[in-house]
Amino acid sequence: MFYWVMKRIFLGPVIKLLFRPWVKGLDNIPDHGAAIIASNHLSFSDSIFMPLMVRRPVVFLAKSEYFTGTGIKGRLTALFFRLTNQLPMDRSGGAASAASLNSGMEVLNHGGLLGIYPEGTRSPDSRLYRGKVGVARLALRAGVPVVPVAMIGTDKVQPIGKRLPNIRRIGMIFGEPLDFNAYRDQAEDRDVQRKVTDQIMFELQRLSGQEYVDEYAAVVKLRLAGKPEEAAASAEPLASPAPGEDASDLQAGDVALKPGREDDGGAAAAG
C-alpha cells in the first residue's frame, strides 16, 4: 500500500513534474509474469526514477547497510527501503551474498519484476563497466527474460557525493526483452554466464551510448580513492563453484554481483 501511495499520489507526481522524464520502449516490459530489468547505474536516483515509470511494481536488491543503520535517521532509512520494495543484499561475498540473492529468486518465482544493476555499483565516471554474472545466473535459473534499460542523464541530476539533486530532465530507454532459454540447461556454466552477461552489457551500451570499459567499476573506485584493490571488489558470489570449491572461496576473477565495501551505489546489486 505504501509503495502504491508514494508512487501514485505523493512522490510520483512531484518527480514527474520536476524532472519531466521521457521514456521509450515501456511496452517492452511484460504485462505479467516474471522478468529481470537490468539497468546501467549512473545515480542513486536511478532506483527512484525507473520504478516510477514502470506500471508494475519493481523490487530491487539494495546494499544491506541501508537496513542496519542506527539512530533515528538509520531507522527511517531502513523503513523507507523496506516500504519501497527493496530487499537487503549482503555484499561480503561468497555464501553470504549468494544467500541474500535467494530473495531475488523468490521475487522471480512469484512472477514479479526484479531490478538489477549488473555493474554492481554506480559508475564512477558515467562510463559503462563490465557486468557481473549474477544477473545471468538468476535469469538462467529462473528461465525469465531480461529487459535492458538505459538511464539517461541521471548522473547529471545527482552526481556521486551530491545530496540534493539538480532539477533537469532525465530519460530512460527500455530495450526488447532478451531471451536466454536456449542456455537454461547450462545455468551453472561459468562461460555461459559470462556470455549472457556480456550480451546484456552490449545491449545496455547500445541503448545508452556510453563508452564501455572492460573492468569492474568497484575496482576502479578503489583505485581512484588511492586504496589497494581488493579481491572482494571483483569476487563473484553467484558464480558456480568449480568441483571441490566452496562458494565462499570465489574471489577475484570470478566476477561478482555486488562490489566490495566501496560500493555507494544505493540500489540493487544483483548482478
Side-chain angles (χ1 to χ4, degrees):
M1 176 61 72
F2 178 85
Y3 180 89
W4 186 91
V5 170
M6 292 295 292
K7 179 175 179 176
R8 301 291 185 181
I9 300 177
F10 294 110
L11 190 59
V14 172
I15 286 180
K16 290 179 181 179
L17 177 65
L18 292 177
F19 297 97
R20 299 174 294 123
W22 57 266
V23 183
K24 295 182 180 179
L26 196 58
D27 290 341
N28 286 321
I29 297 178
D31 291 330
H32 52 81
I36 292 173
I37 300 180
S39 174
N40 61 336
H41 199 11
L42 298 173
S43 168
F44 174 85
S45 58
D46 292 334
S47 299
I48 298 174
F49 288 127
M50 190 264 279
L52 285 175
M53 305 311 296
V54 177
R55 290 182 289 269
R56 298 173 57 191
V58 181
V59 178
F60 275 99
L61 292 173
K63 62 180 182 179
S64 59
E65 286 85 343
Y66 284 132
F67 299 83
T68 58
T70 59
I72 296 177
K73 181 180 178 181
R75 292 175 183 175
L76 288 176
T77 298
L79 179 63
F80 177 81
F81 272 78
R82 288 192 176 95
L83 292 176
T84 54
N85 278 10
Q86 304 207 37
L87 302 173
M89 168 66 193
D90 190 309
R91 304 176 302 150
S92 60
S97 295
S100 294
L101 286 160
N102 288 335
S103 299
M105 280 298 297
E106 285 295 311
V107 172
L108 297 173
N109 289 338
H110 286 86
L113 295 179
L114 182 67
I116 292 178
Y117 298 116
E119 293 167 277
T121 184
R122 285 182 289 179
S123 171
D125 53 16
S126 299
R127 295 187 294 176
L128 184 70
Y129 284 83
R130 194 181 198 210
K132 300 186 175 186
V133 303
V135 62
R137 192 169 183 211
L138 282 173
L140 294 172
R141 292 183 67 186
V144 300
V146 177
V147 179
V149 55
M151 303 299 296
I152 309 294
T154 55
D155 52 331
K156 304 297 190 299
V157 168
Q158 194 172 18
I160 292 177
K162 184 176 178 62
R163 293 184 178 275
L164 297 178
N166 301 314
I167 306 300
R168 56 184 297 156
R169 198 172 193 195
I170 60 97
M172 57 198 80
I173 304 173
F174 293 87
E176 295 183 2
L178 304 174
D179 184 350
F180 299 109
N181 276 328
Y183 303 111
R184 190 171 182 184
D185 61 347
Q186 303 175 67
E188 309 306 319
D189 188 301
R190 294 188 189 185
D191 291 336
V192 171
Q193 292 170 7
R194 171 47 53 194
K195 180 178 180 179
V196 167
T197 302
D198 287 346
Q199 185 173 338
I200 293 169
M201 300 312 294
F202 175 82
E203 287 300 311
L204 288 177
Q205 194 278 330
R206 185 181 66 83
L207 293 171
S208 68
Q210 292 171 272
E211 178 185 349
Y212 178 74
V213 181
D214 193 21
E215 189 172 14
Y216 299 121
V219 173
V220 173
K221 284 185 174 183
L222 289 173
R223 187 183 308 139
L224 291 175
K227 298 181 179 181
E229 297 177 13
E230 301 172 352
S234 57
E236 192 71 86
L238 262 192
S240 306
E245 178 182 46
D246 184 81
S248 61
D249 294 331
L250 295 172
Q251 295 295 335
D254 288 323
V255 208
L257 219 190
K258 194 70 175 171
R261 57 176 177 248
E262 272 305 302
D263 174 32
D264 51 9

